Amino acid sequence: MKIIFLGTGSSHGIPIIGSNHPVCHSIDSKDNRLRSSILIEKNNKYFLIDCSPDFRLQMLNNYCENLDAILITHEHYDHIGGLEDIRPINDKKENTIPVYGLKRVLENLKLRLPYVFSNKIKKNNTLKVSLKEIDYNKKYYSILEFIKISPLFIWHGNLPILGFRIKNLAYITDASIIPIKTIHKLKGLDILIINIFKIHPFSLSNTLNIIKIISPKKTFLTHISYLFGFHKDLQKKLPKNIHLAYDGLVVLL
């Protein structure tokens, strides 16, 4: 299984328009972050977790042109804003691309993209997707016929969202609270991908405590704000088995 970090930034990305913060003027490419998303390849099938507004550029930057399924953690714009840009991939496929998410999230997509899902609107040159509802109480879902995905219940502020476990890999973003029941489902991981918890004031220590409880073999931090400082400086503060992800990073599992 190959994991490609398409983006590792928070909702504004880095640099931020008009910001004079030093990180936003960094010449280190690892400090330039598009909105968070990963692409996973397994047995020549590709599935995306979140489709950020930077999706087009992310795919071009990583020389990726295939996509077979999309999993959505939640409906905020920085996680769904690139859906329109899957159209060139649609043009190469006979079938629609399945999009998996909570019922609330899928209903939100219908409201945002009425020209895609309404039967009353003539559809021409538009994206072709099929919506697949996920219930986080279900143990797992089979996507692309052979890949088992276990949904994870996460709190993003007051909003319930999804994380995902695929074998010994887990992906969690935008988490502010991980319930104990979900933490139990995260035991025995080889790789954990998780956001730095944005509790005010921003807390790296809280994130490290959660990682210690889960105890994965290796962790990659994502959804990183410029407020945490330069990549090279922040990495020095981390334990040896915890790494800052960066755009374009490829990890094999």
Side-chain angles (χ1 to χ4, degrees):
M1 183 159 56
K2 180 165 73 172
I3 306 150
I4 305 170
F5 287 84
L6 298 181
T8 56
S10 54
S11 58
H12 293 302
I14 306 174
I16 293 176
I17 296 171
S19 174
N20 287 318
H21 192 282
V23 172
C24 292
H25 294 276
S26 173
I27 61 173
D28 184 350
S29 62
K30 292 179 180 178
D31 286 319
N32 293 331
R33 301 182 184 277
L34 300 174
R35 270 68 70 91
S36 290
S37 174
I38 61 169
L39 184 69
I40 297 176
E41 185 271 325
K42 183 175 174 60
N43 295 351
N44 293 317
K45 294 289 185 180
Y46 293 81
F47 61 97
L48 184 71
I49 301 183
D50 287 337
C51 191
S52 92
D54 303 313
F55 172 75
R56 172 183 168 275
L57 183 58
Q58 290 168 340
M59 295 292 277
L60 291 171
N61 284 349
N62 291 279
Y63 304 99
C64 299
E65 57 185 44
N66 295 319
L67 184 60
D68 298 290
I70 302 172
L71 285 76
I72 303 293
T73 60
H74 62 294
E75 67 271 38
H76 288 170
Y77 179 73
D78 55 317
H79 297 266
I80 64 168
L83 281 170
E84 267 283 6
D85 286 325
I86 70 171
R87 287 187 296 155
I89 300 171
N90 277 150
D91 292 342
K92 298 178 181 180
K93 292 180 173 292
E94 294 182 3
N95 300 323
T96 60
I97 294 175
V99 176
Y100 294 83
L102 294 170
K103 182 178 181 180
R104 181 198 75 234
V105 173
L106 301 184
E107 292 300 320
N108 188 280
L109 290 181
K110 292 178 184 178
L111 291 173
R112 294 192 187 204
L113 302 168
Y115 53 90
V116 174
F117 300 106
S118 174
N119 292 325
K120 297 179 181 179
I121 298 175
K122 184 176 180 181
K123 300 172 186 177
N124 185 34
N125 192 32
T126 188
L127 70 158
K128 301 174 182 65
V129 295
S130 54
L131 302 182
K132 307 289 186 181
E133 183 181 337
I134 286 181
D135 180 348
Y136 44 66
N137 291 310
K138 190 170 179 178
K139 189 172 182 180
Y140 69 86
Y141 288 81
S142 292
I143 69 168
L144 306 176
E145 298 181 355
F146 65 92
I147 300 172
K148 290 184 178 180
I149 303 287
S150 297
L152 303 168
F153 181 90
I154 308 293
W155 285 107
H156 176 27
N158 294 322
L159 185 71
I161 67 173
L162 289 176
F164 299 100
R165 178 167 181 161
I166 307 103
K167 290 193 172 182
N168 291 331
L169 163 72
Y171 183 84
I172 293 171
T173 186
D174 283 47
S176 54
I177 297 174
I178 302 179
I180 293 297
K181 195 172 182 179
T182 299
I183 287 178
H184 290 325
K185 295 180 180 179
L186 291 168
K187 295 297 184 179
L189 290 176
D190 288 328
I191 292 178
L192 170 65
I193 301 169
I194 191 169
N195 63 289
I196 301 179
F197 281 37
K198 292 196 288 184
I199 296 173
H200 296 288
F202 281 44
S203 173
L204 176 60
S205 61
N206 190 61
T207 306
L208 296 179
N209 287 338
I210 290 290
I211 294 168
K212 187 174 181 179
I213 293 169
I214 296 171
S215 193
K217 291 180 180 178
K218 188 176 290 187
T219 299
F220 292 90
L221 301 178
T222 191
H223 207 276
I224 299 164
S225 167
Y226 71 99
L227 294 174
F228 288 108
F230 294 102
H231 179 102
K232 62 180 178 60
D233 294 336
L234 184 54
Q235 182 62 61
K236 292 175 183 176
K237 300 176 183 177
L238 300 176
K240 63 179 181 180
N241 64 331
I242 300 178
H243 309 273
L244 281 182
Y246 55 87
D247 293 15
L249 173 65
V250 175
V251 176
L252 300 178
L253 177 61

